[in-house]
Amino acid sequence: MQRIFTTYNDVDSGKPFSSGNKYLNIALRLISEHPYSENLKSHHAAVIVRGGKVLSIGVNKFKTHTMVVAPIFKQSESSCGIEYVQSIHAEMDAINKVSDKRTLRNAKIFVARLDKWGEPAMSCPCYLCQYYIEKYGIKKMIYTTEEGPKIRSVG
């Protein structure tokens, strides 16, 4: 599925968002270009930034290794009974890719989601992702919504 996406524009002015929103645009562009599994319900990307430098980029995906933190367990029925499909959220993928977690202190995380029509949609981190965001000292979460980006301070 090819999505067309240019920039995440301000709802009121119609102009592209300023300052940190270039990182939301990076996340949104990544979503539109990333080959996601068709089994994933939604497509998210996260960008962690500190001092204007991108520290890490993550996407949501199915968990493939037992040592990866997997905050979501999706339960489904199969012919053999109940089967658990594990996935990792984009925020956790981005956090896990940073080897020195101390560099996450005072960073910002930008989280984006595109809906099935290719438009920005609600991407507020879940409670478990918020726990790890706070644990590692990330100070701001900026995420997409249908009305425009939301900014939340952490801690």
Side-chain angles (χ1 to χ4, degrees):
M1 169 193 307
Q2 180 80 24
R3 290 198 181 109
I4 298 172
F5 182 80
T6 53
T7 54
Y8 191 22
N9 291 331
D10 182 20
V11 175
D12 297 324
S13 71
K15 296 179 182 174
F17 286 111
S18 60
S19 65
N21 293 313
K22 73 178 180 179
Y23 302 111
L24 282 179
N25 285 324
I26 290 170
L28 288 164
R29 198 165 297 111
L30 177 64
I31 293 168
S32 67
E33 296 170 356
H34 186 74
Y36 283 93
S37 165
E38 291 186 19
N39 297 326
L40 282 171
K41 183 178 174 184
S42 57
H43 301 163
H44 295 258
V47 179
I48 299 175
V49 178
R50 181 173 173 204
K53 179 183 175 194
V54 174
L55 299 178
S56 180
I57 296 175
V59 296
N60 64 317
K61 57 190 168 189
F62 286 118
K63 178 183 165 194
T64 59
H65 190 277
T66 57
M67 297 304 292
V68 176
V69 176
I72 295 298
F73 293 90
K74 177 181 165 191
Q75 189 176 2
S76 64
E77 293 292 330
S78 72
S79 59
C80 300
I82 295 176
E83 163 180 285
Y84 291 92
V85 177
Q86 299 174 342
S87 67
I88 183 167
H89 288 187
E91 302 93 326
M92 292 308 302
D93 186 40
I95 288 170
N96 286 338
K97 288 178 179 175
V98 176
S99 56
D100 184 359
K101 300 294 189 259
R102 294 173 296 180
T103 62
L104 295 172
R105 290 225 162 273
N106 299 313
K108 297 176 185 175
I109 188 164
F110 297 81
V111 187
R113 173 180 157 221
L114 288 178
D115 65 19
K116 62 183 176 182
W117 298 282
E119 295 297 322
M122 176 57 77
S123 192
C124 180
C126 74
Y127 292 115
L128 187 57
C129 288
Q130 288 182 37
Y131 168 80
Y132 284 102
I133 287 167
E134 186 171 346
K135 175 182 176 179
Y136 291 117
I138 296 172
K139 292 299 177 192
K140 285 200 180 198
M141 298 184 298
I142 300 93
Y143 54 91
T144 58
T145 72
E146 292 81 356
E147 293 82 36
K150 298 289 183 201
I151 301 171
R152 289 182 42 195
S153 295
V154 180

